[in-house]
Amino acid sequence: MKDHTRNKTVLLTGGAGFIGSHTATVLLDRGYDVVLLDNFSNSKRDVPTRIEKITGKPCPCEEADLLHSGEAEAAFKKHDIGSVIHFAGLKAVGESVEKPLEYYENNLLSTINLLGSMRTAGVKNLIFSSSATVYKHDNPVPYYENFPLGAANPYGWTKVMIERIIMDTAATDFTFSAALLRYFNPIGAHQSGLIGEDPQGIPNNLLPYIAKVATGELPEVRIFGDNYDTPDGTGVRDYIHIMDLAEGHLLAMEYLRKKRSHEGDFIDIGESASGAAHEGANVHAFNLGTGKGTSVREIISAFERACGRELPKSVYPRRAGDLAIVYANTDLAERELGFKARLGIDEMCADAWRWQRHCAKLPE
Ligand code: NAD
Ligand code: UD1
């Protein structure tokens, strides 16, 4: 079957954010047209211009809120959209515990409105930004896609629930296909230093925190626990370069398109949140990580190599809710998508540092 969606535009909801903006550069570089849709609640209005500067291609952006269903529908009427990558959402774990209703409202309602607009517009390909946080905490490492799901906080539950909503939707229309991309720990920045992660206020995540210690904006790196059962006692995570992660979206989109041209050929995603697989639903879950664990101390050392000096650091008590070790099994993404992360922690830290210097207006 001829793939008509190849020449159509890819809609990136939340496209001005950290992961969306980097994915936009990859898609534009590979000849796809994109349109971003963002309400700029957690991103800056100059991001589309920066993407244009990096790629030399137009990067149109609709300022719209997915909570207003009419705004999403207007974007589908205005642009000839073939696929959607759904990044838009609130993502701070701690804040989700303080403001659960805001998280459930924003993340769930946005997705429901988006799926309704896609149905009206006849758009059948969806890539969703899920997270490693959907795996139950008592799973052993590495995490496989068919492990039991469950979450430890409202943010995580929104991801579990959205995966479920997408599966239920796909079960009503076998021409609809979706990829659920479960990201591990994306860090780093585009090599140009023009886009990167720019959290508001004091960062919660390790890498942005270290970066602000390196610029002198924060006094010291806090190591949350050094008595875990890990090689150096500090927490171990699967850090993945944002450009490798971005590439995973392109591969997942092309995978769904290939699947559509072999109708009837699908794989099941395995056990879902409630324990029941949706036979026939064309939904595919993939871990996007490196498959390797790196400790807090190893990341700090890599950042010190990148910025060329030792950083002040102290050991603090463990952070509530943290696990000792989390990393992905990436065999499925490698086999089905041809996905393999290429960049290591030194590149991640070097690129993050270039971006942080740009943000802090330090000499390049
Ligand atoms: P981000 O905050 O940088 O980007 C999200 C974007 O969505 C922002 O630009 C924000 O303005 C926009 N947005 C939020 N609500 C919206 C709404 N109602 N309508 C329109 N736009 C809206 O976050 P990110 O790091 O780029 O993450 C993208 C997605 O990936 C999120 O869904 C997040 O939960 C998920 N994710 C992120 C990580 C991570 O470590 N960054 C890990 C796992 C999963
Ligand atoms: C956190 C979220 C997770 C989300 C992910 C990416 C929690 C409990 N989990 O995961 O849902 O998908 O971010 O956005 O918030 N650390 C320090 N000092 C710091 C910060 C972190 O030592 O200042 C340690 C942590 O204990 C952990 C590691 O660094 O061992 C990574 O932490 P972080 O970057 O916050 O990511 P996760 O906890 O993996």
Side-chain angles (χ1 to χ4, degrees):
M1 190 201 292
K2 194 163 185 305
D3 182 5
H4 296 289
T5 55
R6 175 66 181 83
N7 297 326
K8 294 190 177 187
T9 298
V10 185
L11 175 71
L12 278 63
T13 75
F18 175 44
I19 305 174
S21 57
H22 290 78
T23 303
T25 68
V26 169
L27 294 174
L28 288 166
D29 283 343
R30 300 299 167 82
Y32 286 91
D33 289 331
V34 304
V35 57
L36 315 186
L37 181 157
D38 209 298
N39 66 0
F40 298 108
S41 58
N42 197 35
S43 50
K44 303 243 164 71
R45 284 187 172 72
D46 67 354
V47 169
T49 314
R50 288 167 179 261
I51 294 170
E52 290 179 344
K53 202 167 167 190
I54 291 169
T55 61
K57 309 262 176 63
C59 184
C61 183
E62 299 294 338
E63 179 161 354
D65 195 324
L66 285 177
L67 287 178
H68 308 141
S69 58
E71 295 185 13
E73 286 193 7
F76 281 94
K77 284 198 182 117
K78 187 167 163 190
H79 302 275
D80 187 19
I81 292 163
S83 302
V84 177
I85 311 186
H86 181 35
F87 299 101
L90 300 176
K91 64 164 183 177
V93 172
E95 190 183 57
S96 80
V97 176
E98 311 280 314
K99 300 178 180 172
L101 292 183
E102 282 83 346
Y103 270 67
Y104 286 117
E105 183 187 26
N106 190 73
N107 294 1
L108 298 188
L109 205 50
S110 289
T111 307
I112 291 165
N113 286 339
L114 175 68
L115 287 166
S117 303
M118 289 178 69
R119 185 174 54 192
T120 307
V123 178
K124 307 276 191 173
N125 297 310
L126 175 68
I127 315 270
F128 172 59
S129 293
S130 191
S131 167
T133 199
V134 298
Y135 293 112
K136 265 191 175 159
H137 273 190
D138 54 5
N139 282 310
V141 288
Y143 288 180
Y144 286 79
E145 284 84 351
N146 61 0
F147 273 10
L149 304 186
N153 50 66
Y155 164 73
W157 279 114
T158 70
K159 294 295 178 192
V160 175
M161 289 176 188
I162 293 170
E163 288 201 358
R164 181 74 200 193
I165 291 169
I166 292 171
M167 280 189 280
D168 287 344
T169 305
T172 66
D173 175 1
F174 290 174
T175 65
F176 180 94
S177 58
L180 313 173
L181 301 184
R182 296 175 181 160
Y183 312 148
F184 280 68
N185 291 61
I187 60 170
H190 192 272
Q191 287 82 358
S192 63
L194 287 175
I195 53 172
E197 190 175 14
D198 193 9
Q200 289 164 5
I202 297 178
N204 294 311
N205 296 124
L206 178 62
L207 211 283
Y209 201 100
I210 297 175
K212 280 189 185 278
V213 173
T215 59
E217 292 164 82
L218 291 170
E220 63 172 4
V221 181
R222 302 172 304 169
I223 299 171
F224 292 149
D226 68 350
N227 56 357
Y228 284 107
D229 186 12
T230 61
D232 66 15
T234 67
V236 168
R237 295 291 182 274
D238 187 340
Y239 298 93
I240 174 167
H241 196 294
I242 184 68
M243 295 309 293
D244 279 332
L245 190 84
E247 180 81 20
H249 294 76
L250 172 76
L251 294 171
M253 199 175 73
E254 293 184 339
Y255 172 84
L256 292 185
R257 286 178 169 163
K258 269 188 230 133
K259 282 261 167 209
R260 273 171 69 82
S261 59
H262 297 94
E263 271 166 342
D265 175 20
F266 52 80
I267 54 166
D268 287 332
I269 96 152
E271 294 287 297
S272 68
S274 71
H278 276 45
E279 207 157 313
N282 206 358
V283 179
H284 315 276
F286 295 105
N287 288 339
L288 292 186
T290 62
K292 283 191 220 85
T294 303
S295 74
V296 172
R297 283 204 189 277
E298 286 172 322
I299 283 283
I300 296 171
S301 300
F303 208 96
E304 290 175 335
R305 288 194 289 280
C307 70
R309 70 183 177 91
E310 201 178 322
L311 298 174
K313 48 194 162 301
S314 305
V315 175
Y316 282 67
R318 292 180 180 190
R319 184 172 65 180
D322 272 352
L323 294 173
I325 308 186
V326 176
Y327 62 92
N329 175 285
T330 56
D331 292 351
L332 188 66
E334 191 172 343
R335 193 173 66 240
E336 295 291 324
L337 307 181
F339 174 79
K340 183 112 187 107
R342 290 172 303 114
L343 301 164
I345 55 168
D346 281 314
E347 283 111 334
M348 299 181 210
C349 291
D351 293 333
W353 176 228
R354 188 179 305 108
W355 162 246
Q356 198 63 43
R357 276 187 321 221
H358 174 94
C359 292
K361 300 189 169 48
L362 296 176
E364 309 274 314

